[in-house]
Amino acid sequence: MTDESMSYREKAYALLQADAEKIIQLIRVQMDHLTMPQCPVYEEVLDTQMFGLSREIDFAVRLGLVEAKDGKALLDRLERELSALHEAVAKKRVR
Amino acid sequence: MTDESMSYREKAYALLQADAEKIIQLIRVQMDHLTMPQCPVYEEVLDTQMFGLSREIDFAVRLGLVEAKDGKALLDRLERELSALHEAVAKKRVR
């Protein structure tokens, strides 16, 4: 593998991770501003963002820049973080 | 520019063009099967696909594999082709 393809790979993965992080931030901001996880608009925003990211990952995998298993792991991790966020908010509301 | 980065560029552009072509095919099939362009489900499918493609293009641009103007030209061309398809169907209905 040349340095150049290595740098495309690194850049692709860094971009995908940054986009996943942006989704977390977006959801955090929505939660802080009283938009309930049960709200259809919230769900739509989240679905749209997750779909967009999954398309980027799929594209990177088809390009040969990201391994399919790494792309899947990135999405799985994001889903776990979102679940944890949801739980944290639900607990806060119960108190 | 090395051969390797050239091949990533070519591959990225070819993938995006193939995805644009898939959208055209999808819309053509929907039109052939009586789903009206005025139908909300049709619009939603089209919006979702266009959003997905625009995210792929944006990702390729940020990676440095596709020029922003080429990405925009690809989307513009797809939109023109979809308009032409809509017009063709509308004319058929009038007859």
Side-chain angles (χ1 to χ4, degrees), chain A residues 8-79:
Chain A
Y8 277 123
R9 280 166 182 269
E10 278 167 8
K11 203 170 169 187
Y13 201 75
L15 280 174
L16 293 174
Q17 276 188 306
D19 287 350
E21 189 51 41
K22 258 190 251 162
I23 294 177
I24 294 279
Q25 291 305 329
L26 175 75
I27 297 310
R28 203 166 266 157
V29 166
Q30 287 207 336
M31 285 183 167
D32 287 348
H33 292 80
L34 300 172
T35 313
M36 313 282 285
Q38 293 86 346
C39 171
V41 173
Y42 165 89
E43 273 172 31
E44 208 172 294
V45 168
L46 184 54
D47 282 356
T48 303
Q49 294 303 318
M50 293 297 277
F51 171 73
L53 181 62
S54 71
R55 285 291 288 259
E56 289 181 9
I57 290 174
D58 183 56
F59 182 72
V61 169
R62 285 185 294 154
L63 258 179
L65 289 178
V66 168
E67 300 284 327
K69 67 173 172 43
D70 294 334
K72 198 183 168 308
L74 198 151
L75 266 188
D76 288 349
R77 200 161 55 239
L78 175 58
E79 273 167 15

Side-chain angles (χ1 to χ4, degrees), chain A residues 2 4 19 55-56 62, chain B residues 2 4 19 55-56 62:
Chain A
T2 66
E4 191 148 15
D19 287 350
R55 285 291 288 259
E56 289 181 9
R62 285 185 294 154
Chain B
T2 66
E4 190 146 20
D19 287 351
R55 284 292 288 259
E56 288 181 11
R62 285 186 294 154

Side-chain angles (χ1 to χ4, degrees), chain B residues 5-19:
Chain B
S5 86
M6 197 60 211
S7 96
Y8 277 123
R9 280 165 182 270
E10 278 167 8
K11 202 169 171 189
Y13 201 75
L15 281 174
L16 293 174
Q17 276 187 306
D19 287 351

Side-chain angles (χ1 to χ4, degrees), chain B residues 18-72:
Chain B
D19 287 351
E21 190 50 41
K22 258 189 251 163
I23 294 178
I24 295 279
Q25 291 305 328
L26 175 76
I27 297 311
R28 203 167 269 156
V29 167
Q30 289 209 332
M31 284 181 169
D32 286 349
H33 291 79
L34 300 172
T35 313
M36 313 280 284
Q38 293 85 345
C39 171
V41 173
Y42 166 89
E43 273 172 32
E44 208 173 294
V45 168
L46 184 53
D47 282 356
T48 303
Q49 293 304 319
M50 293 297 277
F51 171 74
L53 181 61
S54 71
R55 284 292 288 259
E56 288 181 11
I57 291 174
D58 183 56
F59 183 70
V61 169
R62 285 186 294 154
L63 258 180
L65 290 177
V66 168
E67 300 284 325
K69 68 170 171 37
D70 294 335
K72 197 184 167 307

